[in-house]
Amino acid sequence: MSKIFDKALKEVSDDVKRFVDNSFDVVNQIHHVLTEKNLSQRDLAKMLNKKESEVSKWMSGTHNFTLRSISKIESVLNEEIVSIPIKSRKKYYTVKFVPVKTHAKPNQTYPSKEDYQEEGYVKPSKKESNLCKVA
Amino acid sequence: MKRLYIVEYKLFESTSLYSIHFEGKEHNETDDFILRFQSNSKYKENYQTILYWIKKIGEDGALERYFRPEWKASAIPVTSSKLRLYCIRFSDDILVLGNGDIKTAKKVKDCPNCYPLFKTMNDLKIQIDKSIRKKRTFIKEKKIEGKLDFLI
């Protein structure tokens, strides 16, 4: 394991770290939108009237995006790529509390913790469903 | 011809980084890059960008889109700079780092700094691929195993 790399990494300045972090975030967001819309980098290049090789360079994680180029990408994809904290706060703070009412029968069983997996809710077993019906 | 060894460089959560070490040299090639550029004030920002980029790749995975293909090998470019670090990407989990330098010509073959580094990584990729086909070198999940020395 390289001690020279570890030592050198500690000396990387905060602004360089932020630059690379931001660049990766932008690239990953663009990639996410492209995947969601079933588009390729080639499609994006065509939409922007750019060469595919240029768009590939942007996706390296070290590209210094300008606000102009981000805006163009947002425009052709019709999606937000960059969120500004003050705007996001305004947008999301308007939904601070959502009242939720639940109605339950006295003997109703609920799925146990194990029934919740990372990918979502697992259907209750037949036994559990029957218990609900009985109640 | 020189003998080189593929050596473990840094293990991250997502990616195993390897470097290459020429027989008889004190440092591996990636450490050599660091030692040559850590005091270069002109390229300080670009050099630091490459180092932090390596860390990000280690944490996020060596995804294909992050690399600039350079024939059979790849390069880590800082798009606003001429500084290059050559590498071989085997998968999202395995990356072999080489050495780097300042690219002084538009085409790599015309650059006396970068061409030898580019050639080393490309020749090495060919040799490793051969060795994998002959079942002497193995890529197992996040590790390169078996024959790890090559004549370049």
Side-chain angles (χ1 to χ4, degrees):
Chain A
M1 298 300 126
S2 173
K3 285 178 184 171
I4 291 174
F5 177 80
D6 288 341
K7 193 178 169 232
L9 196 61
K10 279 181 191 163
E11 287 161 11
V12 174
S13 64
D14 185 60
D15 66 297
V16 167
K17 287 180 187 172
R18 283 174 189 267
F19 164 70
V20 179
D21 283 340
N22 288 335
S23 186
F24 266 80
D25 288 346
V26 168
V27 161
N28 290 335
Q29 182 62 30
I30 294 170
H31 184 77
H32 172 74
V33 172
L34 290 178
T35 308
E36 268 199 337
K37 291 182 179 276
N38 208 16
L39 294 168
S40 63
Q41 282 186 33
R42 183 179 293 183
D43 295 325
L44 179 62
K46 271 185 193 168
M47 290 159 100
L48 292 164
N49 251 339
K50 300 276 182 194
K51 285 182 182 169
E52 195 187 348
S53 57
E54 193 174 347
V55 172
S56 291
K57 267 188 203 173
W58 295 355
M59 302 301 271
S60 69
T62 58
H63 182 67
N64 193 2
F65 284 96
T66 62
L67 281 176
R68 179 73 67 193
S69 59
I70 289 174
S71 306
K72 275 185 183 168
I73 294 166
E74 286 187 329
S75 176
V76 296
L77 294 176
N78 195 26
E79 290 280 350
E80 200 174 55
I81 300 296
V82 174
S83 298
I84 303 301
I86 194 163
K87 269 175 80 181
S88 302
R89 243 176 262 147
K90 271 186 189 170
K91 192 173 170 182
Y92 297 111
Y93 270 24
T94 52
V95 196
K96 263 189 177 172
F97 304 103
V98 181
V100 178
K101 277 186 182 177
T102 55
H103 302 277
K105 290 175 183 174
N107 292 327
Q108 191 169 355
T109 57
Y110 293 93
S112 63
K113 273 184 187 174
E114 288 74 28
D115 291 325
Y116 290 97
Q117 303 293 327
E118 266 190 13
E119 286 172 10
Y121 170 62
V122 176
K123 262 188 170 182
S125 66
K126 267 190 178 179
K127 196 180 164 190
E128 285 171 326
S129 303
N130 287 338
L131 273 171
C132 289
K133 281 173 198 167
V134 171
Chain B
M1 279 193 150
K2 288 177 184 172
R3 186 175 296 278
L4 65 79
Y5 298 88
I6 295 174
V7 292
E8 278 188 349
Y9 192 67
K10 178 95 185 159
L11 298 178
F12 282 99
E13 198 175 316
S14 292
T15 316
S16 298
L17 300 181
Y18 291 85
S19 185
I20 56 173
H21 198 148
F22 279 102
E23 195 171 51
K25 275 188 83 173
E26 188 181 353
H27 299 290
N28 65 54
E29 291 299 284
T30 313
D31 280 350
D32 182 71
F33 168 77
I34 291 172
L35 294 169
R36 281 187 299 118
F37 281 94
Q38 64 186 358
S39 308
N40 186 325
S41 55
K42 190 178 173 191
Y43 288 94
K44 187 182 172 188
E45 199 171 272
N46 304 132
Y47 148 81
Q48 289 194 348
T49 302
I50 286 177
L51 286 192
Y52 195 67
W53 182 96
I54 292 170
K55 181 183 176 271
K56 291 285 287 185
I57 290 293
E59 289 169 350
D60 292 4
L63 308 181
E64 203 173 357
R65 66 173 184 268
Y66 297 140
F67 295 85
R68 179 200 188 102
E70 298 264 349
W71 196 40
K72 289 183 183 293
S74 304
I76 301 168
V78 178
T79 47
S80 58
S81 135
K82 296 288 178 194
L83 196 61
R84 298 277 186 275
L85 181 75
Y86 292 89
C87 57
I88 303 169
R89 177 191 170 273
F90 280 97
S91 66
D92 291 355
D93 309 320
I94 299 173
L95 182 66
V96 179
L97 298 167
N99 208 329
D101 215 322
I102 298 153
K103 199 174 166 200
T104 55
K106 198 175 179 189
K107 289 183 178 174
V108 69
K109 66 173 184 173
D110 299 326
C111 174
N113 294 342
C114 288
Y115 187 66
L117 313 175
F118 161 91
K119 196 171 177 317
T120 297
M121 295 312 270
N122 277 288
D123 289 349
L124 178 60
K125 177 70 166 67
I126 291 167
Q127 295 236 21
I128 296 173
D129 285 348
K130 256 188 206 171
S131 188
I132 289 171
R133 278 198 302 274
K134 287 182 179 173
K135 296 186 176 172
R136 290 177 184 161
T137 305
F138 308 92
I139 303 283
K140 277 189 184 172
E141 293 172 9
K142 286 172 67 177
K143 284 198 161 184
I144 306 177
E145 292 176 348
K147 177 181 157 58
L148 297 178
D149 63 307
F150 298 92
L151 279 171
I152 299 288

